[in-house]
Amino acid sequence: MNPVEHWQERFAGIEPGAPWLAARRQKALDAFVEAGIPSTRVEEWRYTNPARIAKTAWEPAPVGPELDRAALEQISYPVFACSVFVFVNGRYAPALSTPPALGGHLGVSSLAADPSDENLEGRLASVGEAATPFANLNTAFFEDGAHVRIATGKHIEEPLHLVFVNAPGDDPIAAHPRVLIEAEPGSQATVIEDHVSLGAGSSFTNAVTEIVVGENAEVEWIKVQREDPTALHVSEMRARVARDGRLTAHTLSFGTALTRNDGRVRLDGAGAACAMNGLFVAGGDQLVDNHTWVDHAEPHGTSSELYKGILDGRARGVFNGRVVVRPDAQKSDASQQNRNLLLSRDAEIATQPQLEIRADDVKCSHGSTVGQLDQDSLFYLRSRGVPLDEARDLLMRGFVSEITRGLSVEALAERIDDLVVERLGMARDIPEEAR
Amino acid sequence: MLEINGLRARAGGTDILQGLDLTMGPGEVHAVMGPNGSGKSTLANVLSGRPSVEVTGGSVLYKGKNLLDLSPEERACEGVFLAFQYPVEIPGVSNMYFMKSALNAVRKHRGESQLDAMDFLQLVREKMKLVEMDEALMNRSVNEGFSGGEKKRNEILQMAVLEPSLAILDETDSGLDIDALRIAAEGVNALRRPDRSVLVITHYQRLLDYIVPDYVHVLAGGRIVRSGGKDLALELEEKGYGWITDGASA
């Protein structure tokens, strides 16, 4: 059976929800079927072959195992478990979650709890167009997800922590986590979206997050992807930022067999701003691909992008950054940087900026660098007694600090530093047959 | 302490040291002077183990051990310290964290206990007085945005923290104004001990007004061409290098 037929057949087995949602799912499936699985002849997929995902007959993820809080804390971070919302194999796990006690200021609910919610009808799957066929697949198949609303004018101090636990079994499983974040005018919040694995096994995570930043609202979104090193992970974040709104998106990817992140932000009102920061770490035969797209649709918008990658072994990295400045978007200011550290001779990075400037009074800059660990710095550290391995680790931590410094959640920033070193070690240790 | 015999070394495809001999006893301060290109920095780099310098002949014994067999970090753990002519800037790595890692690596080698952040802070505060360094510099990235004088003081501070047996100062005076020079030199003098030797590499006599050497050597054409007491430095200041090196390069 070809992959498209496989998904069509599985579609018959899902619970479609309210009529509006069922219709939306069908439409998404139709779009997926019509587009099919792209080949590497399509520019967007030149380096990341979707056939690697499509060749497996993924089964919808079953209800995950019973997980207790202690087991969760083993794989996630207890340190900022202020208000945690946990999903296991794409389904809400209320027993593990501690919803925020903030009354009407912050609402978090499971999308499945009330999918007929009329409030959702005009909102879910309303931010932009699906960038990849996989995002359509998510709309057709998602079982559950988080709906986060921050009320007008409210500042939520503590970060909200969404944890998506991937618990593979004997069959290869696919989970389609879904998140919708709505920040009403003048509100402010930090949302951490954390993707982790419970045990190894063949798994495919296909996540979609939609973010609506209202007028003068501010959202910090931090996605941490650190599933099992053999997992496949595709994600899409689509955001719309209204007048004077600000979005800071951090996409932090820690070595899985295949990771593809698409981030699309539309600056939809005058003075809207976004910062897109990314960190990617891969080793062994892993591949990590980041595609970003910032759409300056209105004047006085600001966007800044900084993506930093560390690649070891035979790992491949891709950074493709597209910036569009529309004719009306005068006085736009866009900057884009991609800096990469290659730790081995066989690691590769393909970096490609794509600027489409259709307004004449704008400021745009971009740049990319590829380098190795600085030999003079290594010698300096060693000459003080620091062993070679530790000296390398120190320099890597130094390299990523530009990204981690930007995280408002300090406890997370510290863990990210450790994770860089840990994950590169793990990628080196994957046995040949598991690759 | 240190016994260098017939040392030959290449860097960047050129033979630079061509049979250098030098012997230093414990507690002694030796100055190596010489014109540009004579091999001064190459000597410092060979002793500290910089990978880009290739030793092609001769031997270096340090406390009776073959120094050339040791990695740079092993040399540091054994008590060899190089104050860099151009200290490296390392963005994103805090000066405090770096020095703590270095000291703990050296302490581990010596079989001493590891210092935690609080213990280290206390120790480094004490040592910072020596070089009149602002504590704010400890929380910055290593040497990043430091002035020339701050970088050199940071080197002397590391020396004070690591307490080496053999300190090599590679043109510590270059690019320093007289005040910064005085502070750096006083830091070094405060660290002089009967069991600690100092090798001062410099182009100018000026530094030796502050760090008074027991012996002065003139390096030219990759070899020591003349040795003497501290008066030799004054003579060089007066007459230049020409009167010695003209004969040596032949």
Side-chain angles (χ1 to χ4, degrees):
Chain A
M1 189 182 295
N2 81 39
V4 171
E5 284 168 13
H6 168 77
W7 287 107
Q8 278 178 300
E9 197 181 284
R10 291 298 175 276
F11 186 68
I14 66 146
E15 183 58 54
W20 69 267
L21 183 57
R24 203 154 292 175
R25 288 187 193 278
Q26 185 64 55
K27 201 175 140 205
L29 183 77
D30 293 346
F32 172 75
V33 171
E34 187 174 333
I37 305 287
S39 80
T40 51
R41 283 192 298 277
V42 178
E43 180 61 29
E44 290 286 289
W45 296 94
R46 200 166 135 201
Y47 299 98
T48 302
N49 188 355
R52 275 185 68 186
I53 301 168
K55 70 179 183 194
T56 303
W58 303 102
E59 294 302 329
V63 174
E66 285 284 324
L67 192 61
D68 63 17
R69 188 69 188 227
L72 176 71
E73 291 191 355
Q74 286 286 313
I75 53 174
S76 187
Y77 307 111
V79 275
F80 31 88
C82 22
S83 48
V84 190
F85 243 63
V86 184
F87 297 81
V88 180
N89 281 355
R91 294 176 187 83
Y92 181 47
L96 293 170
S97 303
T98 47
L102 288 164
H105 298 175
L106 174 66
V108 190
S109 54
S110 150
L111 289 171
D114 190 8
S116 63
D117 184 349
E118 282 171 13
N119 278 332
L120 277 180
E121 185 176 345
R123 295 163 159 180
L124 193 69
S126 73
V127 182
E129 293 280 313
T132 75
F134 296 106
N136 279 322
L137 208 54
N138 175 293
T139 300
F141 281 90
F142 79 88
E143 300 242 10
D144 202 346
H147 180 203
V148 179
R149 278 154 303 154
I150 307 113
T152 303
K154 299 299 177 195
H155 288 205
I156 311 301
E157 296 289 333
E158 288 203 317
L160 173 69
H161 189 186
L162 307 175
V163 184
F164 292 93
V165 181
N166 170 349
D170 297 334
D171 289 328
I173 60 156
H176 306 270
R178 186 89 184 196
V179 176
L180 172 61
I181 300 167
E182 294 177 295
E184 291 177 0
S187 66
Q188 188 182 330
T190 294
V191 179
I192 301 165
E193 189 181 316
D194 198 5
H195 293 268
V196 299
S197 286
L198 182 68
S202 193
S203 74
F204 167 43
T205 298
N206 177 30
V208 172
T209 299
E210 294 174 273
I211 304 173
V212 181
V213 182
E215 277 193 16
N216 203 33
E218 185 165 356
V219 172
E220 181 187 26
W221 175 74
I222 306 169
K223 175 177 175 255
V224 186
Q225 200 273 101
R226 52 198 172 106
E227 289 164 311
D228 188 80
T230 60
L232 307 184
H233 182 103
V234 172
S235 82
E236 181 162 316
M237 182 276 283
R238 299 196 300 265
R240 192 170 62 221
V241 186
R243 185 188 175 100
D244 298 322
R246 293 171 302 281
L247 171 70
T248 304
H250 308 269
T251 304
L252 314 173
S253 305
F254 296 93
T256 61
L258 182 154
T259 299
R260 163 70 180 244
N261 300 308
D262 281 79
R264 298 197 158 201
V265 178
R266 181 178 165 97
L267 300 178
D268 214 19
C274 78
M276 294 178 86
N277 296 327
L279 175 63
F280 52 98
V281 172
D285 285 316
Q286 294 173 337
L287 177 138
V288 54
D289 179 345
N290 283 289
H291 271 62
T292 66
W293 186 339
V294 182
D295 184 351
H296 284 261
E298 297 289 335
H300 294 282
T302 306
S303 69
S304 68
E305 283 182 78
L306 174 64
Y307 271 71
K308 298 189 93 167
I310 303 180
L311 301 167
D312 195 8
R314 290 169 302 280
R316 301 187 73 185
V318 180
F319 174 77
N320 185 297
R322 189 161 176 192
V323 176
V324 176
V325 181
R326 295 185 186 266
D328 290 340
Q330 298 294 0
K331 306 280 182 192
S332 287
D333 186 342
S335 72
Q336 183 188 84
Q337 288 290 328
N338 169 227
R339 301 203 189 101
N340 306 287
L341 202 51
L342 302 187
L343 301 182
S344 84
R345 218 180 278 261
D346 296 326
E348 276 179 35
I349 175 81
T351 173
Q352 192 175 17
Q354 285 180 283
L355 306 186
E356 248 178 68
I357 316 291
R358 284 185 254 139
D360 49 22
D361 186 11
V362 299
K363 221 163 89 184
C364 288
S365 64
H366 68 88
S368 65
T369 58
V370 180
Q372 284 87 40
L373 283 178
D374 181 55
Q375 291 302 317
D376 287 336
S377 301
L378 265 183
F379 175 63
Y380 188 70
L381 295 172
R382 295 174 74 192
S383 78
R384 298 300 181 248
V386 180
L388 180 58
D389 285 351
E390 205 181 311
R392 284 178 205 272
D393 288 355
L394 260 180
L395 292 184
M396 283 192 282
R397 286 170 196 267
F399 180 76
V400 305
S401 71
E402 212 178 345
I403 299 292
T404 53
R405 266 203 311 257
L407 301 171
S408 74
V409 187
E410 214 170 294
L412 177 63
E414 283 170 21
R415 279 294 291 130
I416 295 295
D417 275 357
D418 295 339
L419 211 52
V420 171
V421 173
E422 236 167 71
R423 294 300 290 229
L424 284 170
M426 275 166 86
R428 272 181 222 124
D429 295 341
I430 301 172
E432 199 75 45
E433 65 270 19
R435 282 174 185 156
Chain B
M1 178 67 69
L2 187 71
E3 209 183 307
I4 305 175
N5 285 308
L7 184 63
R8 295 177 170 273
R10 313 170 52 89
T14 311
D15 290 315
I16 301 193
L17 297 184
Q18 320 213 29
L20 184 143
D21 301 309
L22 180 69
T23 301
M24 287 174 72
E28 293 173 357
V29 175
H30 288 237
V32 170
M33 302 182 70
N36 289 329
S38 59
K40 298 192 301 290
S41 282
T42 301
L43 173 61
N45 286 330
V46 166
L47 294 178
S48 55
R50 188 185 279 272
S52 58
V53 179
E54 186 196 349
V55 175
T56 51
S59 66
V60 179
L61 284 180
Y62 165 73
K63 292 184 177 175
K65 283 182 191 165
N66 182 357
L67 187 71
L68 302 177
D69 277 352
L70 305 179
S71 66
E73 53 268 40
E74 285 167 336
R75 296 179 198 203
C77 288
E78 290 286 339
V80 177
F81 180 90
L82 169 67
F84 281 55
Q85 181 179 5
Y86 303 110
V88 182
E89 298 190 12
I90 310 181
V93 176
S94 106
N95 204 23
M96 182 83 83
Y97 190 87
F98 154 59
M99 274 193 223
K100 182 163 82 73
S101 303
L103 178 60
N104 277 334
V106 171
R107 287 178 65 94
K108 188 175 168 192
H109 182 82
R110 292 179 189 151
E112 294 167 359
S113 65
Q114 300 289 287
L115 295 186
D116 65 19
M118 282 313 294
D119 293 338
F120 180 75
L121 184 63
Q122 207 169 2
L123 179 138
V124 84
R125 274 192 179 139
E126 201 52 47
K127 307 280 186 187
M128 271 164 33
K129 289 181 196 155
L130 206 64
V131 288
E132 301 175 31
M133 204 169 101
D134 186 349
E135 194 171 323
L137 294 179
M138 289 308 290
N139 296 318
R140 299 244 298 266
S141 294
V142 178
N143 292 323
E144 195 184 31
F146 286 26
S147 70
E150 285 168 341
K151 282 182 183 170
K152 296 299 171 82
R153 275 189 260 175
N154 200 31
E155 295 292 291
I156 306 302
L157 174 63
Q158 291 170 43
M159 175 179 158
V161 166
L162 296 176
E163 305 200 66
S165 303
L166 172 64
I168 304 156
L169 310 181
D170 187 10
E171 307 214 15
T172 294
D173 50 338
S174 62
L176 292 193
D177 62 36
I178 202 77
D179 287 329
L181 178 70
R182 180 187 51 76
I183 293 168
E186 280 172 6
V188 173
N189 286 332
L191 294 168
R192 287 183 71 163
R193 278 197 340 206
D195 59 349
R196 178 174 294 147
S197 308
V198 182
L199 181 61
V200 182
I201 293 172
T202 181
H203 185 74
Y204 306 104
Q205 185 272 337
R206 192 180 62 160
L207 177 66
L208 305 180
D209 286 341
Y210 296 92
I211 304 175
V212 181
D214 301 308
Y215 301 95
V216 174
H217 310 276
V218 180
L219 181 60
R223 275 180 310 198
I224 301 288
V225 293
R226 178 169 296 218
S227 297
K230 61 173 187 267
D231 295 341
L232 178 58
L234 295 169
E235 214 175 331
L236 287 169
E237 179 76 357
E238 205 176 307
K239 300 188 190 166
Y241 288 108
W243 63 284
I244 297 177
T245 56
D246 282 350
S249 51

